[in-house]
Amino acid sequence: MESTSTLLIIGGGLAGAKAAEGAREAGFEGRIVLAGEEARNPYERPPLSKDILRAEKESDSSQVHESGYYAEQSIELLTGDAITSLDAGAKSAKLASGATIAFDAAVLATGAAPRPLKVPGADLAGVHYLRTVEDSVALHDAITKASRVAVIGAGWIGSEVAASARQMGAEVVLIEELAVPLHRVLGSQVGGMFSQLHSDHGVAMRLGVGVEKLEGGSAVERVVLADGRVEAADVVVAGIGVTPRIELAEAAGLTIDNGVVVDENLQSSAPGIFAAGDIANAFHPHFQRHLRIEHWANALNQGAAAGTNASGKAAPYTRLPY
């Protein structure tokens, strides 16, 4: 791409930040605009359930780059100003502030959103989700005042929040409808080891059972399990997975199937528009099929590759996911 070209990166998380870095490292000399809805510099999310949740590190410690990086690399960082619409044909995008940005290439890195609880009482005060720094700080404050914390879902987020809450001294019950924590990613044997580890550290395990409803007055007080058991809890954390944030891409007419469908170069059905991270359902040359991977390492590496390809290269993304 020419030095007069504009690369627009939509999404201010890890994948978006690495896309900007990847484009510059590939030699792109044009304009780079990185737009994110959060009023913060791009940051990594794994510490939200660990160090930041336990208040062992400041919230800014998880930033992808040092604060001066974007100015040094001539990357226009638009924080707190989300892209609200995308015109794939005209190659233009509108910001929440009302401004319009014309681009020559774009990278979609809008990430994923927590899957909401869909049981009676899920709207009670005291029910938390974890996706942003603000979520983590609010949950820390809630846990420090809680009499008992119920974590629904024992995937990575749920398991890590349960462990952190115990380290903070809270009484914790971990509820999972499968037989062991992390069953989908680690299987029954290794998942069983995690179950024992939680038990050894005082987490009450309620496995192989779902949640029927939440009960309370103005705030949650109890979790009623599908088998009728009742667990007291004045803080509930829902960690039941995420869904890709494909609304912008879908409205723009891009091909959607379990995320934004992209080829081995991470290019979508619209020429010049790429996708990376949690939203990208990418064709993998080794597996000869599409894969959508929700993982920190994928956002890190795929984001950089999308930025490289959006800058005018054509390098297939072949890294094997672990």
Side-chain angles (χ1 to χ4, degrees):
M1 293 173 65
E2 299 177 358
S3 60
T4 55
S5 299
T6 295
L7 170 59
L8 173 63
I9 299 168
I10 304 171
L14 176 59
K18 296 305 287 188
E21 179 184 320
R24 281 288 184 247
E25 289 192 348
F28 179 64
E29 297 179 350
R31 182 189 183 198
I32 297 179
V33 180
L34 174 55
E37 65 182 359
E38 293 186 59
R40 294 177 173 274
N41 284 8
Y43 62 90
E44 302 181 20
R45 300 189 190 275
L48 300 183
S49 57
K50 298 186 277 289
D51 309 76
I52 293 175
L53 177 57
R54 298 191 298 267
E56 295 171 356
K57 289 186 178 180
E58 296 294 327
S59 58
D60 288 345
S61 65
S62 64
Q63 288 188 8
V64 180
H65 299 109
E66 295 293 333
S67 57
Y69 172 83
Y70 301 99
E72 292 168 3
Q73 296 295 321
S74 298
I75 296 168
E76 298 174 40
L77 187 58
L78 304 180
T79 57
D81 198 2
I83 300 292
T84 57
S85 65
L86 178 68
D87 188 324
K91 290 192 173 179
S92 67
K94 183 168 287 188
L95 292 157
S97 61
T100 298
I101 297 176
F103 60 85
D104 298 278
V107 175
L108 283 162
T110 47
R115 184 174 285 114
L117 273 176
K118 294 183 178 179
V119 298
D123 57 346
L124 287 168
V127 178
H128 293 257
Y129 298 89
L130 184 59
R131 186 63 182 175
T132 68
V133 165
E134 288 72 24
D135 292 339
S136 185
V137 172
L139 183 55
H140 167 84
D141 293 343
I143 289 172
T144 58
K145 301 169 186 174
S147 59
R148 195 166 191 246
V149 177
V151 180
I152 302 173
W156 289 117
I157 294 297
S159 294
E160 291 170 358
V161 168
S164 288
R166 280 299 294 146
Q167 287 178 273
M168 293 167 64
E171 185 178 344
V172 180
V173 57
L174 180 56
I175 304 162
E176 168 58 57
E177 64 182 3
L178 298 180
V180 295
L182 298 162
H183 187 273
R184 289 187 176 91
V185 289
L186 298 179
S188 58
Q189 186 174 1
V190 178
M193 294 173 62
F194 276 94
S195 181
Q196 188 60 53
L197 186 64
H198 277 299
S199 294
D200 290 346
H201 284 82
V203 177
M205 305 298 291
R206 304 290 183 261
L207 302 173
V209 63
V211 171
E212 182 70 24
K213 60 183 175 179
L214 308 182
E215 294 181 337
S218 60
V220 67
E221 299 172 18
R222 295 172 298 277
V223 180
V224 180
L225 305 185
D227 60 9
R229 283 180 291 175
V230 178
E231 300 290 341
D234 50 357
V235 169
V236 170
V237 184
I240 56 173
V242 297
T243 56
R245 299 181 62 191
I246 48 81
E247 297 82 5
L248 194 66
E250 191 169 34
L254 306 188
T255 300
I256 303 296
D257 181 13
N258 183 31
V260 179
V261 177
V262 295
D263 62 18
E264 65 271 22
N265 295 321
L266 307 178
Q267 185 167 228
S268 73
S269 56
I273 298 180
F274 300 75
D278 288 354
I279 66 163
N281 190 6
F283 183 81
H284 198 290
H286 176 78
F287 297 103
Q288 287 293 296
R289 64 185 180 92
H290 284 79
L291 301 173
R292 189 178 69 81
I293 300 169
E294 298 164 2
H295 196 277
W296 172 88
N298 190 63
L300 179 81
N301 297 303
Q302 200 176 69
T308 297
N309 288 339
S311 72
K313 310 291 183 182
Y317 183 73
T318 59
R319 181 179 289 268
L320 295 177
Y322 67 85

